[in-house]
Amino acid sequence: MKTILAGGQYGDEGKGKISSYIAVKDNPEIVARAGVGPNAGHRVLYKGKWYGLRMLPSGFVNENSKILVGTGVMVNPAVFLEEMEKTNTKGRIFVDRGAGTILQKHIEEDSASETSKKIGTTKTGCGPSLVDRVRRTAKRADEIEELKPYLVDGVKMVNEAKDVFIEGSQGFMLSLYYGTYPFVTSKDVTASSFAADVGLGPTKIDEVILVIKSYTTRVGNGPFPSEIGVEEAEGLSFQEYGTVTGRPRRTSKELHFDDLKKAVMVNGATQIAITKIDIRFKGNEGIKEYKKLTQEAKDYVNIVEKRLDVPVTLIGTGPDTEHIVDRREEIL
Ligand code: IMP
Ligand code: MG
């Protein structure tokens, strides 16, 4: 089985939590990271310990899985090595030899340029390093000494494996193609691109899980409908802060269904995962069985299913990897 996980909103949907659960539960041979690069930030709570990651997939928590950073991803070697140490994944972690790399000059450019300031980028150098890649002047992973012990032919790896779980980053509304251009990230971030990022053809993908949070947030500049203030968001416990940048995230109480419908279409979503239902509706913390959710929460899930016409198979009920309702066996 080959499954892709994609973000349905502006990133920060809680993909990390869903991904870590799936990696543990489904036990894939390979957990692959797709998407842009270390501009993504996710926090994973596993066995009582928090891990903050930017480069590695949250699915690292399954110690049986090999971890691969795909050829489409821009790798910051220092961040990669630091996260390998902190997750203790040496020996089962690999980078495709053709992956892009982020150098100090890219980070400097991303911090200084007027365009980056206007957009409110994460200043992690992803955009400028992709510019070099398009100019065909970039350094690839196989030219970086520190990455040499981890290099592999990722294409061969994912195509020879039976079960691969591909973790995308960012979210649909930040896609270079489909998002709120120019207030977007530097690549397309939908399922087709994630498949290409790791070297799988579209016909090889079995499932696409679109992750949406039960309310909407955006970090950085750009259009954002029905935005509320920080105070109101704090009052609802919806207020969040960026993992990479620490910036307060902008909040909307609504799900933006027109955008979500488009996200379902472009991603070819076969399942939806809803996160943070416990934050939206009190009384659902840590629940693992659908029937134990509050009526309000179940009604919400039904509305999402009806309006998007895709089954909601996973429902996040708390920060821990295990805090989840998994309806896949019942529904699929
Ligand atoms: P960049 O990807 O650093 O160039 O930033 C471009 C825009 O995408 C900015 O608004 C960022 O805040 C946003 N962005 C990039 N990655 C993420 C993410 O993983 N979560 C949320 N926002 C992101
Ligand atoms: Mg994030």
Side-chain angles (χ1 to χ4, degrees):
M1 173 96 95
K2 310 238 164 49
T3 302
I4 294 179
L5 192 81
Q9 293 154 314
Y10 297 84
D12 307 316
E13 297 91 359
K15 291 183 292 299
K17 183 246 162 54
I18 302 292
S19 173
S20 61
Y21 170 77
I22 291 177
V24 172
K25 174 83 181 171
D26 298 6
N27 197 23
E29 276 165 76
I30 301 174
V31 174
R33 168 74 146 76
V36 186
N39 50 351
H42 22 274
R43 272 161 49 82
V44 189
L45 178 60
Y46 186 62
K47 294 195 171 156
K49 193 171 165 195
W50 279 104
Y51 298 86
L53 299 173
R54 293 160 55 194
M55 227 33 278
L56 303 195
S58 306
F60 84 88
V61 294
N62 185 339
E63 290 171 28
N64 304 317
S65 302
K66 288 183 185 145
I67 301 165
L68 173 71
V69 179
T71 201
V73 179
M74 311 308 288
V75 177
N76 178 325
V79 176
F80 174 85
L81 294 171
E82 182 202 314
E83 292 187 3
M84 177 182 78
E85 291 297 324
K86 111 176 144 187
T87 54
N88 195 22
T89 44
K90 195 170 185 165
R92 63 180 181 98
I93 185 168
F94 308 96
V95 181
D96 191 290
R97 53 179 104 258
T101 58
I102 298 176
L103 310 176
Q104 192 53 33
K105 65 174 180 186
H106 299 131
I107 296 172
E108 280 159 23
E109 189 184 331
D110 204 4
S111 305
S113 92
E114 284 310 314
T115 310
S116 293
K117 281 184 200 155
K118 179 181 102 176
I119 295 165
T121 70
T122 58
K123 303 179 184 169
T124 49
C126 293
S129 96
L130 265 159
V131 170
D132 261 355
R133 198 170 186 175
V134 173
R135 280 202 190 110
R136 279 138 298 173
T137 52
K139 281 203 162 190
R140 291 164 28 125
D142 59 6
E143 294 172 75
I144 305 287
E145 205 50 46
E146 305 95 283
L147 292 178
K148 288 201 172 148
Y150 313 103
L151 297 177
V152 286
D153 180 344
V155 173
K156 196 159 177 270
M157 245 175 99
V158 293
N159 281 280
E160 283 174 2
K162 200 165 139 280
D163 297 315
V164 182
F165 180 65
I166 301 147
E167 185 176 320
S169 67
Q170 285 76 37
F172 182 70
M173 296 302 287
L174 294 175
S175 162
L176 180 66
Y177 297 171
Y178 308 105
T180 55
Y181 189 91
F183 299 98
V184 291
T185 192
S186 44
K187 261 177 73 174
D188 173 48
V189 284
T190 64
S192 310
S193 290
F194 297 148
D197 282 344
V198 302
L200 283 168
T203 53
K204 297 292 188 308
I205 304 303
D206 301 290
E207 296 283 339
V208 175
I209 305 175
L210 190 73
V211 184
I212 65 179
K213 187 156 60 185
S214 56
Y215 47 94
T216 314
T217 61
R218 170 167 207 163
V219 60
N221 302 330
F224 190 53
S226 62
E227 184 170 358
I228 59 172
V230 169
E231 219 163 281
E232 187 180 352
E234 290 278 8
L236 292 163
S237 340
F238 289 0
Q239 185 59 48
E240 300 175 357
Y241 295 85
T243 326
V244 176
T245 57
R247 294 178 289 182
R249 291 181 185 148
R250 302 157 68 195
T251 311
S252 163
K253 287 187 276 193
E254 315 295 330
L255 287 180
H256 304 160
F257 277 106
D258 289 345
D259 297 338
L260 290 172
K261 279 182 189 160
K262 214 167 153 189
V264 163
M265 255 191 288
V266 176
N267 281 284
T270 59
Q271 303 177 45
I272 285 174
I274 299 185
T275 61
K276 299 206 174 187
I277 205 86
D278 57 307
I279 306 272
R280 171 122 223 163
F281 303 109
K282 300 297 163 219
N284 295 289
E285 294 79 7
I287 301 253
K288 295 179 186 177
E289 285 172 75
Y290 185 71
K291 61 175 192 288
K292 292 191 177 158
L293 292 173
T294 63
Q295 193 56 46
E296 242 182 344
K298 282 189 268 200
D299 290 345
Y300 201 71
V301 169
N302 285 333
I303 289 170
V304 171
E305 278 189 336
K306 281 226 169 66
R307 294 197 60 174
L308 299 180
D309 201 20
V310 179
V312 173
T313 52
L314 296 155
I315 304 161
T317 58
D320 195 279
T321 292
E322 305 285 318
H323 294 156
I324 199 161
V325 174
D326 184 351
R327 303 164 81 200
R328 290 180 297 171
E329 267 180 35
E330 168 200 332
I331 289 178
L332 301 176

